[in-house]
Amino acid sequence: MKKIIVADDEELIRRLVSDFLVQEGYEPLQADDGDVALRLFDENPDTALLILDIMMPTVDGWEVCRKIRERSAVPIIMLTARSTEYDQLTAFDAGADDYVTKPCSPSVLMKRVAALLRRGEGTSSEKVLTIDELKLDSFAHEVWLDGKSISLTLKEYSILQKLLAVPGRVFTREQLLDDIWGYDFDGDVRTVDSHVARLRTKLGEWGAQHIKTIYGAGYKLEVNKDA
């Protein structure tokens, strides 16, 4: 049974979400503030996903997300009443994989949970994808560059996996948004741009050399022709 941490300072929300998770066969772990969420995550390293409110006492959801991203690529959904573009971009910059505004249908939230968990299992038929010094192991869900492990969010990992699977192919922003975020995602293509930018930064010189922006089209993985 997959464990899912539900962190929200509103007991009614925690109980509602947890009840639906139980119905779907998950094991919810409830936290009423950010500190408790972080402690639960440390005590349960097999946690499959987190659902975080933003405005929580002690430590807010953004900071919880940042701290977890320092050591894990576990999927994270922000579930919050805050709906401005700034709030959403801040959440994605912190490492969130999805953003859901309250009030929302619990059934839709469960679909988003299931979709994120499916995507986390990897979609490529190739178990290990390698280009130059970079290796993506879809079985272990790990990325290595020059022998060092690179920590990526689920979305960053999924983008890299998709580009690596078909080097040279241009993927439009709309394709990446639909394939990775899902057709029901209510954000826009700038979400893709921000994730690709962070992915490039994490991959340093390799990212700048290989992940190319095709202006007016999208992104592709360019193979080193001298290799």
Side-chain angles (χ1 to χ4, degrees):
M1 186 178 293
K2 293 180 178 178
K3 297 177 181 177
I4 296 180
I5 294 174
V6 181
D8 198 304
D9 59 346
E10 294 184 52
E11 183 180 3
L12 182 61
I13 297 294
R14 290 198 313 274
R15 291 175 58 186
L16 177 64
V17 173
S18 295
D19 286 347
F20 271 83
L21 287 171
V22 169
Q23 291 176 24
E24 295 297 319
Y26 303 114
E27 179 184 349
L29 306 174
Q30 296 187 36
D32 58 3
D33 65 42
D35 269 343
V36 174
L38 289 169
R39 177 172 56 79
L40 282 175
F41 185 74
D42 288 337
E43 294 173 353
N44 298 272
D46 57 339
T47 295
L49 183 143
L50 293 94
I51 300 174
L52 304 177
D53 184 25
I54 290 179
M55 301 309 296
M56 293 187 291
T58 315
V59 181
D60 64 37
W62 289 322
E63 187 60 22
V64 172
C65 190
R66 292 187 190 99
K67 288 181 179 296
I68 288 175
R69 277 292 167 259
E70 291 174 358
R71 56 189 189 276
S72 175
V74 62
I76 297 175
I77 297 176
M78 306 302 288
L79 176 63
T80 174
R82 300 177 67 112
S83 59
T84 70
E85 180 177 303
Y86 169 82
D87 295 321
Q88 296 183 50
L89 292 176
T90 301
F92 288 127
D93 285 341
D97 296 292
D98 202 351
Y99 194 99
V100 180
T101 55
K102 303 174 186 174
C104 79
S105 162
S107 297
V108 170
L109 178 61
M110 293 304 104
K111 291 293 185 183
R112 289 177 178 266
V113 167
L116 270 180
L117 292 175
R118 282 197 307 272
R119 289 168 196 153
E121 294 171 356
T123 58
S124 173
S125 59
E126 295 290 334
K127 295 300 182 184
V128 178
L129 300 172
T130 304
I131 289 184
D132 295 340
E133 305 85 8
L134 183 133
K135 180 176 76 172
L136 182 148
D137 186 335
S138 62
F139 182 79
H141 207 273
E142 294 179 344
V143 174
W144 298 80
L145 181 60
D146 289 327
K148 295 178 58 178
S149 177
I150 305 296
S151 178
L152 301 179
T153 68
L154 179 59
K155 290 294 192 294
E156 292 162 357
Y157 175 92
S158 298
I159 291 171
L160 179 61
Q161 184 183 41
K162 201 162 192 66
L163 296 176
L164 278 172
V166 195
R169 173 182 168 179
V170 177
F171 289 90
T172 68
R173 292 169 174 83
E174 291 78 10
Q175 286 174 323
L176 293 171
L177 195 68
D178 290 342
D179 291 349
I180 296 173
W181 277 263
Y183 289 99
D184 60 346
F185 180 66
D186 58 5
D188 59 33
V189 293
R190 286 175 294 181
T191 297
V192 176
D193 295 336
S194 63
H195 278 74
V196 171
R198 286 198 304 275
L199 176 60
R200 275 204 192 102
T201 298
K202 289 183 178 182
L203 296 178
E205 185 178 341
W206 191 98
Q209 180 182 355
H210 290 83
I211 301 177
K212 299 299 184 181
T213 301
I214 309 303
Y215 293 100
Y219 298 98
K220 74 173 181 177
L221 197 292
E222 187 171 275
V223 179
N224 187 347
K225 298 179 176 59
D226 298 327

